[in-house]
Amino acid sequence: QVQLVESGGGLVQAGGSLRLSCAASGRTFSTYTMAWFRQAPGKEREWVATVNWSGLSTYYADSVKGRFSISRDNGKNTVSLQMNSLKPEDTAVYYCAAGRTPYGGNLQQTDFGSWGQGTQVTVLS
């Protein structure tokens, strides 16, 4: 397994931007499919975005498509989520996840075996 630590969350006005980062330990980072999930109060954790092992393929939930961008740097063992045009409904705890799934879109929590501790994103209206 890989250990994951997120950073970059915070408080932002609607329409603003934030960039989340996830640092991974281990020498096998480049072999993992990486994703971001989020969980709002009282709601289930939902998939947000995925990037494949090479970084060449990305997938997004419809709710964030065109506003969020996921990327990875295998040389630095990091994955990032650039969030633009933020909305109050984007408020949630955001989690970084690593898994072996060969798929990219509409993934489930069970597709991933390693998780970070989460970082809070709050968007004010």
Side-chain angles (χ1 to χ4, degrees):
Q1 286 190 342
V2 62
Q3 280 70 52
L4 305 172
V5 178
E6 302 98 334
S7 62
L11 203 64
V12 64
Q13 294 286 341
S17 298
L18 278 176
R19 185 176 181 86
L20 305 182
S21 294
C22 174
S25 64
R27 292 176 291 179
T28 61
F29 173 76
S30 63
T31 67
Y32 283 88
T33 295
M34 300 299 298
W36 288 93
F37 283 73
R38 67 186 181 186
Q39 187 166 17
K43 295 188 177 181
E44 292 189 357
R45 193 171 298 189
E46 65 173 357
W47 169 74
V48 174
T50 306
V51 59
N52 78 331
W53 67 273
S54 69
L56 295 180
S57 296
T58 56
Y59 309 82
Y60 299 93
D62 287 343
S63 59
V64 307
K65 199 171 295 183
R67 300 187 298 121
F68 290 12
S69 178
I70 188 172
S71 60
R72 68 188 298 162
D73 185 334
N74 287 339
K76 296 181 178 179
N77 280 17
T78 59
V79 60
S80 299
L81 185 69
Q82 177 65 41
M83 305 185 295
N84 298 327
S85 302
L86 283 161
K87 304 175 181 180
E89 51 263 45
D90 294 318
T91 295
V93 177
Y94 283 71
Y95 297 91
C96 177
R100 297 295 192 184
T101 177
Y103 304 109
N106 199 26
L107 299 178
Q108 306 299 315
Q109 293 186 61
T110 51
D111 292 313
F112 296 87
S114 298
W115 293 84
Q117 82 289 350
T119 186
Q120 177 70 47
V121 171
T122 302
V123 184
L124 303 176
S125 58

